[in-house]
Amino acid sequence: FSPGLLVVAGSFAAFRLLNRELERLVPPPPSARRNRWKWRNIWTWGPEALPSTHSPFPLRFCLHPGMSEDLVGTHPPGAHSLVAVSVGYFLEDFLDMLCNQKLHQSWELLFHHSVVIICFGVAVLLHQYVGFALVALLVEINSIFLHLRQILLMANLVHTTCYRLNSIINLGTYVVFRIATLAWMTRWLFLNRDNVPPATYALGTVGMAIMTPMNIILFYRLLRSDFFK
């Protein structure tokens, strides 16, 4: 039994409760009332991102220089709990989509969440590869602008300077914190293949093989929708 499972369970329960109360806390605008579930779902993500982005990631490497060389057993204090909180959020979001959205509309995100839950779950249970999972959480920096884009779309604010500025920042951070991060993680796995157990290496390789094409496809969709439509 891992104490991290308690953090996962507590995180799941907290996000579930937040999801139910969000419509009262952040009432949807008239243009979003036809899809109240999606409005709640987008805003539920916010608290999950805060602990992932509240402190500069390079500072974590400076304070724990060993992590840049050892992403298996070395990680800063609180990193294990941070990954466990993220697992709780992804579990809640997976269940929320499964119950409220048709499968053909959400299968890509459900697939994405399944990969993240399995990979992060291994880190939480084994207390290893937490540093690797922490690198993966860099994508949450881009998710700020990705979710803001959805909020602006639902609020019918597409033809505004705020939306245009967010689109530019969204694509920039997408390249830096999603595509480049996944490329760095893939490179790390390849260089350290002799130091990683075969089962874990296979899991990481499959995860990267799934996530990289998905993120490239989403980047193309964003580019086409916001700039070439």
Side-chain angles (χ1 to χ4, degrees), residues 101-197:
Q101 201 171 26
K102 293 180 180 179
L103 186 60
H104 75 272
Q105 296 176 317
S106 62
W107 71 268
E108 290 177 320
L109 275 176
L110 291 174
F111 193 47
H112 167 275
H113 283 20
S114 299
V115 174
V116 174
I117 289 167
I118 292 171
C119 293
F120 280 22
V122 169
V124 171
L125 289 173
L126 300 182
H127 282 259
Q128 290 186 317
Y129 308 100
V130 175
F132 194 72
L134 201 62
V135 174
L137 283 175
L138 272 174
V139 302
E140 297 299 334
I141 295 175
N142 168 252
S143 293
I144 295 171
F145 306 102
L146 198 60
H147 282 74
L148 179 57
R149 176 183 181 274
Q150 290 183 294
I151 291 171
L152 293 172
L153 280 171
M154 294 193 70
N156 200 23
L157 296 173
V158 178
H159 304 291
T160 62
T161 302
C162 182
Y163 183 88
R164 176 57 59 183
L165 179 61
N166 182 74
S167 296
I168 296 171
I169 299 174
N170 182 35
L171 285 183
T173 55
Y174 198 103
V175 172
V176 175
F177 295 109
R178 282 185 183 269
I179 295 177
T181 296
L182 286 174
W184 188 92
M185 293 170 68
T186 302
R187 176 180 176 273
W188 185 90
L189 268 177
F190 177 77
L191 294 177
N192 292 272
R193 60 189 182 280
D194 295 332
N195 302 320
V196 177

Side-chain angles (χ1 to χ4, degrees), residues 13-28 39-40 43-44 92:
F15 280 110
R16 198 66 184 159
L17 179 63
L18 177 64
N19 185 288
R20 295 183 178 182
E21 295 296 322
L22 259 171
E23 191 167 340
R24 180 176 60 84
L25 298 173
V26 188
W39 181 261
R40 294 197 311 271
W43 278 98
T44 303
E92 192 281 331

Side-chain angles (χ1 to χ4, degrees), residues 7-75:
V7 180
V8 171
S11 171
F12 175 87
F15 280 110
R16 198 66 184 159
L17 179 63
L18 177 64
N19 185 288
R20 295 183 178 182
E21 295 296 322
L22 259 171
E23 191 167 340
R24 180 176 60 84
L25 298 173
V26 188
S31 57
R33 288 173 187 168
R34 64 182 180 275
N35 198 347
R36 294 174 181 271
W37 164 79
K38 189 174 181 181
W39 181 261
R40 294 197 311 271
N41 179 269
I42 294 170
W43 278 98
T44 303
W45 164 88
E48 189 273 337
L50 288 176
S52 303
T53 58
H54 79 282
S55 58
F57 188 79
L59 181 60
R60 293 179 180 270
F61 271 107
C62 292
L63 295 177
H64 304 273
M67 197 173 76
S68 60
E69 299 177 359
D70 178 21
L71 294 179
V72 178
T74 303
H75 56 268

